Amino acid sequence: MKNSKIPHIDGLIHVTGKSHFITDLPKRDLLYVYPVFSKISKGEILEIDFSEAEKVKGYVDKITFKDIPGENNVGIIEKGEPVFPEKNVEFYGQPVCAIIGKDYISARKCAKFVKIKYREEKPILTISDAIRENSFFKPTIKVKKGSIKKGFKNSDYVIEGEIITPIQEHFYLETQSCRVIPEEKGYTILPASQSPSEIQEVLASVLGIPQNLLTVDVKRLGGAFGGKEHNPTLYAAITAVAAHKVKKPVELRLMREDDILVTGKRHKFYAKYKCGFDESGKIKALKYEIYSNGGAYTDLSIPVLERCVFHSDNAYFIPNFYLEASACKTNLHPFTAFRGFGGPQGVFFIEYIMEEVARTLKIDPFEIKKRNLYKSGDKTPYGEKIKECFLDVLFDKIEPVYKEWKKEVEDFNRKNKFIKRGVGIVPIKFGISFTLKALNRGYALVILYPDGSVSVSHGGVEMGQEVSTRVAQIVSKTLGITFKNIHIESVNTKRIANIPPTAASTAVDLNGNAAYKSAKILRKRLLKIARKMIVEKYGKIPSKIDFEEDFCLFDFGKIQIKEIIERAVFEREKMAEYQFYRTPFITDFDEEKGRGNPFYYYVYGVATSLVETDLLTGEVKLLKAKIIHEMGDSINYDVELGQITGAYIQGMGWLILEDMVYENGGAISNSPSTYKIPTICDIPKIFDVEIFLSGSEYSSVFKSKGIGEPPFIYGESVFFAVKNSIGGLNLMPPATPENILKVIGDIFK
Ligand code: LUZ
Ligand code: MOS
């Protein structure tokens, strides 16, 4: 689809400060609610003393679990995650109750004066604690292919080891926010959520009212990255209970330090592996034992674990495979969705193992990885056939760059003693679709008005990824109506219902396809009316007819599309169309058999990075990056480029810069000064991103492919570049200066 210079649909109102987020809306009669957070990780609540809080100026009311009119639950995959705990707190930072204040400052101030007495218990905080205490969420996931016993027997080498991936904070700009407005009947809910339908369903049960009395409306989010897939449901519920009690509009907005303390993050994972291979580096057998720290409630830990499992082979054919994976139940905040959703962790494991194979055999990791790549027709360990594979092509394309950089690194390292360079290479094969088949559905409502303007509602929440721009382009292209005449509406559960979360890199696939179907039907109706109008006016039938740039063009003239719409309305043609799309082919993962076809297609790519490490300070500089990213075709080249570059930098931040520190079970890296997210200074000087348009039929609307999550994994090439710069030492992420110095120190011992 050739439309590369289409700007962000709301770019102008964003840069001029006119775009609305929840807290920008008019504040008449608005009260504020602020939670009181647990200061212990685990224990029984003995007493909550509000007496001091009640004396503070601006105090309005308080809410506890006793004020919940319906069910005290916000859990979706498993019930039992409460709005407020009735007896036991399960993590440091858990909201125990909340204060309603007449303004934001007094609500927060009052909350600070609430005193809670606990009987403390010993918490489970780490994966090893949980394994010892046998504290797991159900189920354990198992995948088996071939015979690892035979595989190990036929191996020339067998290596074993452990791998850890770190926690990551989303650091979306807009913190958790929600506004709830009581209506004549029911409520309007304005949450900062990727999952409007989840909010509607859960809040209906919390409030004890039918779902049709709740209108959930989401215009846009100030960033999300998965941090608003399930996290916001709890905060929306607290806001709704407050609004229900005081019968007034109420708003909640977390301070940054509280947001970081209390909300879920990327899961820490731990893997034990045993890998057998021959002397050429070909993998013969792989055995995995994988654990994640899921925190106090199930949240999305099981689907995250599943996606980790589905990516623990990444780009490589492994003939004999055995895996067991479990999510640990601990007393940290629940961990949740984060761009890649377990995929990056799974990929990191196999990439780490490939690097160890290369180190054992003293062969370049590039060669080892290349020798093990999947080919078209291969099957994954969970049994999905790889229909069309571009990994070989991508390796051939990037080889000259990698070889040149590798040589440059070797020359540099020969001449320098305390500053060393390294290069890393990471391919990706990322599966697109929600792994729960039922969620792979999209809806769109397209309305044409007689002035030639178009309204589009669909189920994709805009969070900066420009799903809105791309859906508008699809509608514009299909109807021949210019982009400026397309308006994308907020996601509103009264217009679009029963929608899946905007997640899993599927928003354009699902909603774009639904919008395309709606637009095609409307186009057909317009064509019928256009033909009639042409014959009336010119007395002959056109041989060629098309819609373009707001006009209907035909061999002997043109008419404006708005005239056709006006006439169509008059002729009682339906000028609105509500369409539905469901992803074909996919099947659910069968837990008993460890088999499934969860993905509609895969996205492929490869990245190489070059870094420089100062052995005396442990500091790392990222100097060069080259990425080749495959898609069937492009919808909006600039948006896709933005997603690839941003995801790479975010992935690099996860493994190189960011380090979430906990004290007594509470996250204390709670600001940009103590939690180092990437900035403009961390972007490499040479940053070459190439989009390879493969034309693959195994793709989605207009041959595009999901772009949100896959490129996050390219950031892993930076970590392996660092590891290689220090001679492949046993470095675990995050590769912060402290951690680098610790392993370098080991050599001198
Ligand atoms: N959310 C979800 C996701 O519920 N299922 C998924 O498979 C998924 N994948 C990526 C991101 N969010
Ligand atoms: Mo996501 S991790 O696709 O919300």
Side-chain angles (χ1 to χ4, degrees):
M1 193 158 129
K2 295 215 169 28
N3 259 329
S4 71
K5 285 301 164 196
I6 294 284
H8 189 309
I9 197 164
D10 287 333
L12 193 64
I13 60 170
H14 278 320
V15 297
T16 51
K18 289 186 186 128
S19 48
H20 285 169
F21 294 81
I22 294 160
T23 57
D24 297 325
L25 301 173
K27 300 188 188 322
R28 224 184 106 208
D29 293 335
L30 186 64
L31 299 177
Y32 287 81
V33 63
Y34 211 83
V36 180
F37 305 108
S38 168
K39 292 251 167 50
I40 65 163
S41 297
K42 184 175 166 62
E44 192 185 336
I45 302 162
L46 299 176
E47 190 197 333
I48 308 179
D49 176 3
F50 291 101
S51 58
E52 291 301 313
E54 283 164 1
K55 288 182 208 147
V56 177
K57 195 164 160 259
Y59 171 90
V60 175
D61 210 337
K62 58 181 184 267
I63 50 171
T64 70
F65 75 90
K66 291 179 189 139
D67 297 299
I68 298 166
E71 197 183 358
N72 185 10
N73 171 62
V74 295
I76 38 152
I77 290 187
E78 196 183 316
K79 287 198 176 183
E81 180 182 357
V83 182
F84 296 125
E86 302 187 6
K87 193 159 171 249
N88 296 306
V89 296
E90 294 289 337
F91 66 93
Y92 194 111
Q94 179 168 21
V96 177
C97 55
I99 295 290
I100 302 160
K102 77 168 186 21
D103 53 57
Y104 187 60
I105 305 277
S106 39
R108 276 177 51 216
K109 196 167 166 195
C110 294
K112 284 210 163 66
F113 280 90
V114 176
K115 291 200 190 70
I116 306 175
K117 274 200 201 122
Y118 306 95
R119 193 177 50 74
E120 260 190 271
E121 289 163 43
K122 192 164 176 287
I124 296 173
L125 297 176
T126 63
I127 290 173
S128 48
D129 284 351
I131 295 173
R132 195 178 343 100
E133 304 281 331
N134 200 22
S135 176
F136 299 113
F137 294 111
K138 280 195 180 93
T140 291
I141 299 171
K142 289 183 188 162
V143 175
K144 182 173 182 285
K145 177 190 176 187
S147 157
I148 50 165
K149 209 167 146 198
K150 275 195 202 138
F152 287 130
K153 220 161 81 194
N154 295 333
S155 297
D156 299 320
Y157 298 83
V158 175
I159 57 171
E160 290 181 69
E162 299 180 352
I163 310 166
I164 291 166
T165 65
I167 291 167
Q168 186 178 26
E169 157 63 23
H170 303 85
F171 231 108
Y172 32 66
L173 285 183
E174 174 201 39
T175 56
Q176 299 290 326
S177 309
C178 184
R179 187 182 289 191
V180 176
I181 303 149
E183 302 289 353
E184 194 180 271
K185 292 180 187 172
Y187 299 86
T188 296
I189 322 261
L190 309 172
S193 165
Q194 293 168 251
S195 311
S197 287
E198 175 182 319
I199 300 271
Q200 185 188 20
E201 285 167 35
V202 171
L203 266 55
S205 110
V206 167
L207 294 169
I209 61 173
Q211 288 173 19
N212 65 1
L213 295 188
L214 292 182
T215 305
V216 180
D217 190 279
V218 182
K219 184 174 278 181
R220 62 169 66 82
L221 312 180
F225 310 112
K228 291 173 183 170
E229 193 171 325
H230 180 62
N231 275 323
T233 306
L234 172 59
Y235 297 95
I238 293 172
T239 319
V241 171
H244 171 81
K245 186 160 188 202
V246 295
K247 309 265 176 289
K248 289 215 173 89
V250 175
E251 185 167 290
L252 176 146
R253 164 165 51 99
L254 292 186
M255 292 289 286
R256 174 69 61 189
E257 60 261 37
D258 291 331
D259 190 297
I260 292 179
L261 179 74
V262 307
T263 63
K265 316 190 191 308
R266 182 184 298 283
H267 292 74
K268 181 176 192 155
F269 269 75
Y270 162 74
K272 270 210 280 213
Y273 70 89
K274 183 172 166 186
C275 179
F277 47 97
D278 67 14
E279 56 191 7
S280 75
K282 273 218 150 193
I283 308 294
K284 296 288 172 193
L286 180 58
K287 182 174 181 247
Y288 270 127
E289 208 179 301
I290 292 174
Y291 299 92
S292 70
N293 189 335
Y297 300 105
T298 335
D299 199 297
L300 294 162
S301 289
I302 296 302
V304 167
L305 186 71
E306 212 169 70
R307 188 170 278 274
C308 170
V309 167
F310 294 151
H311 288 81
S312 64
D313 56 341
N314 191 26
Y316 311 110
F317 178 78
I318 301 159
N320 302 293
F321 185 92
Y322 183 79
L323 173 151
E324 275 188 33
S326 312
C328 299
K329 180 172 160 58
T330 65
N331 296 104
L332 293 180
H333 53 65
F335 287 83
T336 195
F338 193 144
R339 202 173 195 171
F341 205 75
Q345 291 95 321
V347 171
F348 187 81
F349 294 152
I350 190 68
E351 292 302 321
Y352 198 97
I353 294 167
M354 287 291 167
E355 298 277 334
E356 292 303 294
V357 171
R359 191 147 72 112
T360 310
L361 296 173
K362 299 194 172 56
I363 300 175
D364 191 319
F366 184 94
E367 293 304 324
I368 299 294
K369 293 181 183 186
K370 191 173 165 176
R371 283 171 198 170
N372 285 289
L373 291 177
Y374 274 121
K375 311 251 182 309
S376 301
D378 283 344
K379 275 190 176 173
T380 64
Y382 49 91
E384 179 152 354
K385 190 169 157 189
I386 295 168
K387 297 197 197 89
E388 194 177 21
C389 184
F390 294 98
L391 290 163
D392 281 338
V393 181
L394 292 163
F395 261 64
D396 288 346
K397 276 176 177 284
I398 210 161
E399 185 159 359
V401 178
Y402 178 85
K403 290 275 154 80
E404 187 194 317
W405 290 5
K406 176 89 182 191
K407 185 164 178 308
E408 188 186 315
V409 162
E410 284 166 353
D411 290 346
F412 181 91
N413 287 350
R414 234 174 279 120
K415 293 185 206 127
N416 291 277
K417 193 168 172 197
F418 296 117
I419 296 185
K420 295 288 184 187
R421 288 187 177 172
V423 60
I425 179 118
V426 168
I428 65 163
K429 171 188 121 286
F430 194 89
I432 302 291
S433 295
F434 285 98
T435 56
L436 181 66
K437 179 177 149 187
L439 295 178
N440 293 285
R441 51 184 205 252
Y443 304 75
L445 167 65
V446 179
I447 302 171
L448 306 185
Y449 295 103
D451 67 351
S453 67
V454 182
S455 159
V456 182
S457 291
H458 63 83
V461 171
E462 177 59 42
M463 45 186 136
Q465 86 282 44
E466 296 189 53
V467 59
S468 45
T469 307
R470 288 176 285 164
V471 171
Q473 280 182 265
I474 290 166
V475 171
S476 161
K477 183 92 183 163
T478 310
L479 286 168
I481 293 179
T482 46
F483 182 77
K484 67 172 191 333
N485 283 326
I486 316 285
H487 185 250
I488 300 284
E489 309 294 338
S490 60
V491 177
N492 185 301
T493 56
K494 287 287 164 71
R495 273 181 267 113
I496 306 284
N498 309 320
I499 50 176
T502 300
S505 308
T506 61
V508 175
D509 290 14
L510 299 176
N511 304 293
N513 262 309
Y516 179 52
K517 278 171 89 172
S518 297
K520 263 200 308 199
I521 292 168
L522 290 166
R523 183 191 164 92
K524 235 182 173 170
R525 290 193 194 128
L526 289 177
L527 271 173
K528 190 177 93 185
I529 299 295
R531 281 208 186 84
K532 194 170 169 183
M533 288 170 76
I534 294 163
V535 171
E536 273 174 19
K537 193 163 168 191
Y538 297 90
K540 53 182 174 176
I541 299 165
S543 58
K544 260 196 354 229
I545 182 162
D546 204 0
F547 293 147
E548 215 177 286
E549 302 271 314
D550 299 326
F551 279 93
C552 170
L553 310 172
F554 44 97
D555 19 347
F556 45 85
K558 61 179 186 178
I559 35 178
Q560 293 191 69
I561 291 179
K562 67 179 184 189
E563 291 174 53
I564 306 169
I565 299 170
E566 200 176 351
R567 176 68 178 269
V569 171
F570 185 76
E571 302 247 351
R572 299 189 298 173
E573 282 292 337
K574 185 176 158 201
M575 285 290 98
E577 195 54 43
Y578 191 48
Q579 278 295 318
F580 176 66
Y581 170 82
R582 60 169 84 85
T583 309
F585 167 75
I586 48 177
T587 65
D588 274 321
F589 178 67
D590 181 330
E591 268 160 21
E592 292 294 303
K593 299 200 181 89
R595 289 285 176 281
N597 291 313
F599 303 122
Y600 184 44
Y601 59 84
Y602 294 95
V603 172
Y604 301 95
V606 64
T608 181
S609 300
L610 191 157
V611 305
E612 185 173 286
T613 307
D614 185 328
L615 302 187
L616 299 177
T617 64
E619 281 168 293
V620 170
K621 257 198 233 129
L622 171 56
L623 300 179
K624 296 184 186 184
K626 163 89 189 173
I627 297 169
I628 310 177
H629 183 86
E630 182 268 339
M631 312 181 66
D633 200 358
S634 163
I635 287 187
N636 187 320
Y637 192 85
D638 294 324
V639 170
E640 288 141 9
L641 202 63
Q643 287 293 311
I644 297 166
T645 50
Y648 168 86
I649 294 295
Q650 195 174 35
M652 178 271 289
W654 171 44
L655 296 177
I656 302 295
L657 303 172
E658 301 171 33
D659 193 3
M660 185 52 70
V661 178
Y662 287 71
E663 198 177 78
N664 301 324
I668 57 167
S669 317
N670 62 8
S671 77
S673 61
T674 49
Y675 187 76
K676 171 135 184 45
I677 52 173
T679 68
I680 192 85
C681 308
D682 300 300
I683 293 169
K685 277 236 168 63
I686 294 172
F687 196 178
D688 180 12
V689 180
E690 185 182 327
I691 299 182
F692 163 51
L693 300 179
S694 66
S696 178
E697 294 291 337
Y698 300 103
S699 53
S700 192
V701 60
F702 289 93
K703 288 197 186 177
S704 70
K705 289 192 177 191
I707 191 86
E709 299 176 294
F712 180 90
I713 296 167
Y714 295 137
E716 296 186 5
S717 63
V718 185
F719 175 83
F720 293 110
V722 176
K723 188 170 185 289
N724 290 327
S725 74
I726 55 168
L729 290 174
N730 233 345
L731 179 70
M732 283 300 152
T736 54
E738 298 93 307
N739 287 339
I740 289 171
L741 287 181
K742 270 186 220 156
V743 295
I744 294 177
D746 286 347
I747 345 175
F748 299 115
K749 268 182 205 154

